[in-house]
Amino acid sequence: HFGTIKDETYAELIRFQSTGGISFNGDTAATNALDDYEEGSFTPVLQNDGSTTYSQQNGKYTKIGNRVYFNVYIKINSHDGGSSSATGITLPFQNDFGTGVVTGTVVGNDHWDTNYGTSNMTGWMGNGSTIMSFYKNSGQNLQAITVDDIGDGGEIAIAGHYPTDS
């Protein structure tokens, strides 16, 4: 190994390995080593956006091991009024939650064409997918959010995290 940090009883706390990353508390299992860290940015595009144009499209992520943390901000300049299918974004890694679904926090501003002030909004990402779709819950069930709901000048911010096997 490359180096270690020990406590006052000489028990190994951290091991820095020349290959295989960093391990903790004497654990030498490769699956538990911290050996994968990545930061990046991407340009989020709303799904089913038709001829929509954007003022801003910012996406950032940090991947630590098998966990991806992301933040997205989108501001629409002019929306396609004919876009009536569920919208969402493509994220940089595939969701690997087994058989489960990952959700993210979706927030819109007061410029939206549709008033969702009393609705809960969420991002929904199925297992094995890279697409997080946007939905509202008005108390009965999930209903798709569309580009037409967001409208001209509408802003949307999304934040969340999910597991991946990438």
Side-chain angles (χ1 to χ4, degrees), residues 5-149:
I5 296 177
K6 298 182 179 193
D7 67 11
E8 62 277 354
T9 64
Y10 298 103
E12 184 177 286
L13 299 175
I14 301 174
R15 178 183 295 190
F16 301 93
Q17 303 174 95
S18 58
T19 59
I22 302 169
S23 60
F24 301 92
N25 296 322
D27 186 348
T28 58
T31 57
N32 294 337
L34 178 57
D35 61 354
D36 187 8
Y37 180 90
E38 180 180 335
E39 293 180 11
S41 61
F42 61 100
T43 302
V45 176
L46 293 172
Q47 300 287 315
N48 303 312
D49 69 347
S51 61
T52 296
T53 60
Y54 301 90
S55 300
Q56 290 186 327
Q57 297 166 270
N58 302 320
K60 294 191 178 266
Y61 72 89
T62 301
K63 181 178 175 292
I64 303 171
N66 69 352
R67 179 69 49 179
V68 180
Y69 301 87
F70 69 94
N71 291 78
V72 171
Y73 173 77
I74 296 172
K75 182 172 183 179
I76 291 177
N77 181 38
S78 175
H79 79 289
D80 183 336
S83 295
S84 58
S85 297
T87 195
I89 56 169
T90 300
L91 292 168
F93 297 94
Q94 179 176 301
N95 171 22
D96 183 35
F97 193 58
T99 59
V101 171
V102 172
T103 61
T105 303
V106 178
V107 178
N109 70 351
D110 59 357
H111 295 293
W112 282 36
D113 282 0
T114 303
N115 180 7
Y116 286 148
T118 59
S119 298
N120 296 315
M121 294 187 290
T122 190
W124 180 277
M125 188 177 188
N127 185 57
S129 179
T130 59
I131 297 173
M132 180 169 281
S133 298
F134 304 149
Y135 293 91
K136 68 180 175 83
N137 184 346
S138 57
Q140 300 298 317
N141 55 21
L142 292 177
Q143 297 173 342
I145 294 173
T146 69
V147 170
D148 197 39
D149 291 328

